[in-house]
């Protein structure tokens, strides 16, 4: 009797350690977000388009995929190949066929949260397509964006960690998924998931520190983000019915520093296809990709200045580079004045400017960020992106 009891307990533990794959009547839903605009941020939308191609070719129908991207690359005057967007050197066109659910000014945090909640009535400007997922469904959410502690940047606004957590809790309470997976590529993206519970069947991996890669001399911009291209190229070359989320995480971690996991980590034992494909569809045949010998990694916040440095030097526009360098110094001085004005002459000022501190009061932080952006300057505007001044940890 004791032996049977122990055997039953062992079977139960194994079952919990290796979650079941997609149930027979469940569906797969995908939300893909590129949280930026502008040619110098090319990589985020290229990442998003590539992600769409992966889930599409693995059998998830467009009616179950929601894409949010500004859509200012394909016809951009700086694009030497109109209608074509690539995510690696000499890569294929990842733009073809991508749904245009939310573009331009419809790429907002409010629309994104409404999509997750399945609240079509609250969406604005876009197609109104939202998740219609239920208790038997798997949901995969991928975001490629710029970030800062406790927030992800959208083209004209910010998504805050606490607001995202509230919506995830709403989805759990209202049975909007069976299992939910997030992949987030942005600077400080780990800070978006530090409060994620481990008992609501949500698993997340984040880049934490984001690096741009694959600089293209023809396009004068970076084609991808290192965390993103590593998980996507893994999905391209592997059989997703055999590859697990954990193996994919380890592939990314072996190449990318500071990759992190959050939530229910037992979900990582599931097959990638359970989230990036349709269990009932035949898996897409693995691709063969030639390795890129030198990816040319650079921290994402340094990208605008790196592009300017390359293009100004190549075209002999050194005066333009010097002008921007003067602007950088002016912005840094302005930042120091702001901190001094708020705190007074204080020995803590260098710490405030340079050290990331935990944010204990979400609403206070959100109000301070909003006030600062309105009355000082928008740090995601082109000139401030180039300057990359030290932003005080409010």
């Amino acid at each position: 009797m004791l032996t049977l009891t122990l055997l039953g307990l062992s079977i139960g533990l194994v079952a919990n350690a290796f979650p079941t794959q997609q149930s027979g009547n469940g569906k797969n839903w995908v939300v893909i977000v590129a949280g930026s605009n502008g040619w110098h941020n090319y990589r985020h939308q290229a990442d998003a388009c590539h992600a769409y191609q992966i889930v599409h070719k693995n059998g998830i129908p467009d009616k179950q995929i929601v894409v949010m991207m500004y859509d200012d690359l394909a016809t951009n005057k700086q694009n030497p190949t109109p209608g074509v967007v690539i995510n690696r050197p000499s890569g294929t066109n990842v733009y073809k066929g991508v749904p245009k659910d939310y573009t331009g000014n419809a790429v907002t945090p409010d629309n994104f949260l409404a999509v997750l909640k399945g609240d079509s009535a609250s969406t604005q400007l876009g197609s109104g397509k939202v998740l219609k997922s239920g208790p038997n469904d798997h949901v995969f959410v991928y975001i490629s964006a710029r970030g800062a502690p406790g927030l992800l940047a959208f083209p004209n606004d910010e998504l805050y960690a606490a607001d995202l957590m509230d919506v995830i809790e709403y989805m759990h309470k209202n049975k909007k998924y069976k299992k939910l997976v997030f992949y987030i590529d942005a600077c400080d993206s780990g800070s978006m998931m530090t409060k994620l519970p481990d008992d609501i069947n949500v698993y997340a991996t984040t880049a934490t520190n984001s690096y741009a890669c694959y600089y293209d001399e023809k396009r004068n911009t970076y084609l991808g983000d290192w965390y993103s291209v590593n998980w996507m190229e893994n999905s391209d070359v592997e059989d997703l019915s055999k590859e697990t989320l954990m193996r994919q995480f380890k592939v990314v971690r072996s190449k990318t520093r500071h990759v992190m996991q959050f939530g229910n980590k037992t979900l990582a034992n599931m097959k990638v296809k359970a989230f990036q494909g349709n269990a009932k569809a035949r898996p897409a045949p693995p691709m063969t990709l030639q390795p890129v010998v030198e990816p040319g990694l650079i921290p994402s916040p340094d990208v605008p200045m790196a592009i300017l440095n390359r293009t100004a030097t190549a075209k002999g526009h050194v005066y333009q580079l010097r002008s921007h360098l003067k602007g950088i110094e002016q912005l840094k001085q302005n930042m120091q004045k702001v901190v001094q004005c708020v705190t007074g002459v204080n020995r803590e000022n260098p710490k405030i400017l340079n050290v990331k501190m935990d944010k204990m009061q979400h609403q206070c932080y959100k109000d301070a960020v909003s006030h600062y952006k309105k009355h000082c300057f928008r740090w995601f505007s082109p000139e401030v992106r180039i300057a990359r001044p030290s932003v005080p940890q409010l």
Side-chain angles (χ1 to χ4, degrees), residues 61-338:
D62 283 0
K63 65 182 180 180
Q64 290 160 218
I65 304 171
V66 181
V67 179
M68 304 183 73
M69 66 176 190
Y70 207 84
D71 196 24
D72 60 346
L73 300 184
T75 59
N76 194 297
K77 63 181 182 181
Q78 293 180 267
N79 190 348
T81 55
V84 175
V85 175
I86 62 175
N87 197 217
R88 77 185 325 258
S90 303
T92 58
N93 181 15
V94 294
Y95 183 74
K96 183 178 180 180
V98 177
K100 310 296 192 306
D101 296 308
Y102 297 88
T103 61
N105 291 332
V107 183
T108 67
D110 287 344
N111 277 345
F112 170 65
L113 296 177
V115 166
L116 294 183
K117 293 172 70 175
D119 183 8
S120 181
S122 295
T123 62
Q124 297 183 3
L125 300 177
S127 68
K129 188 196 295 185
V130 297
L131 293 182
K132 296 181 180 179
S133 51
N136 295 316
D137 298 340
H138 289 175
V139 178
F140 176 58
V141 181
Y142 166 61
I143 305 172
S144 179
R146 298 154 296 147
L151 63 84
L152 295 176
F154 278 58
N156 298 301
D157 208 344
E158 292 80 37
L159 171 68
Y160 291 88
D163 296 332
L164 179 58
M165 286 300 110
D166 287 345
V167 168
I168 292 174
E169 292 283 2
Y170 172 91
M171 294 175 71
H172 173 66
K173 181 179 179 180
N174 289 275
K175 303 185 187 312
K176 294 291 185 180
Y177 64 88
K178 182 177 182 180
K179 294 179 177 68
L180 169 61
V181 168
F182 280 85
Y183 282 12
I184 307 179
D185 190 348
C187 289
D188 297 295
S189 52
S191 64
M192 297 297 292
M193 289 291 168
T194 55
K195 303 296 184 182
L196 181 65
D198 62 5
D199 59 352
I200 60 172
N201 274 339
V202 182
Y203 171 68
T205 81
T206 68
T208 304
N209 290 329
S210 184
Y211 290 84
C213 63
Y214 301 160
Y215 185 81
D216 188 285
E217 298 285 352
K218 183 178 180 180
R219 292 169 175 80
N220 293 320
T221 193
Y222 289 86
L223 303 179
D225 291 285
W226 195 228
Y227 164 98
S228 292
V229 299
N230 276 300
W231 80 255
M232 287 188 283
E233 291 181 2
N234 175 258
S235 289
D236 282 333
V237 303
E238 297 293 339
D239 182 342
L240 301 192
S241 65
K242 298 178 180 179
E243 187 79 345
T244 65
L245 294 174
M246 177 56 74
R247 281 201 293 266
Q248 187 161 91
F249 171 78
K250 288 182 177 179
V251 166
V252 177
R253 186 177 61 183
S254 70
K255 300 179 180 181
T256 309
R257 293 184 294 174
H258 309 302
V259 181
M260 302 178 71
Q261 302 177 88
F262 300 90
N264 183 353
K265 298 181 180 66
T266 64
L267 268 60
N269 294 306
M270 297 180 66
K271 300 297 189 289
V272 172
K273 189 179 178 183
F275 297 94
Q276 296 177 25
N278 181 349
K280 299 177 183 178
R282 180 177 299 178
M287 298 171 59
T288 299
L289 296 176
Q290 295 299 319
V292 178
V293 177
E294 179 49 64
L297 304 184
I298 184 169
S300 288
D302 294 337
V303 165
M305 192 64 198
I307 293 174
L308 177 62
N309 189 47
R310 282 175 176 266
T311 55
T313 302
K315 296 178 180 179
H317 296 167
V318 179
Y319 68 90
Q320 183 182 13
L321 183 59
R322 289 174 180 170
S323 175
H324 280 288
L325 288 172
K326 289 181 180 179
I328 289 173
E329 187 58 34
Q330 185 61 53
L331 283 171
K332 287 181 177 179
Q333 292 176 10
N334 289 345
M335 181 66 70
Q336 292 169 354
K337 290 178 181 178
V338 168

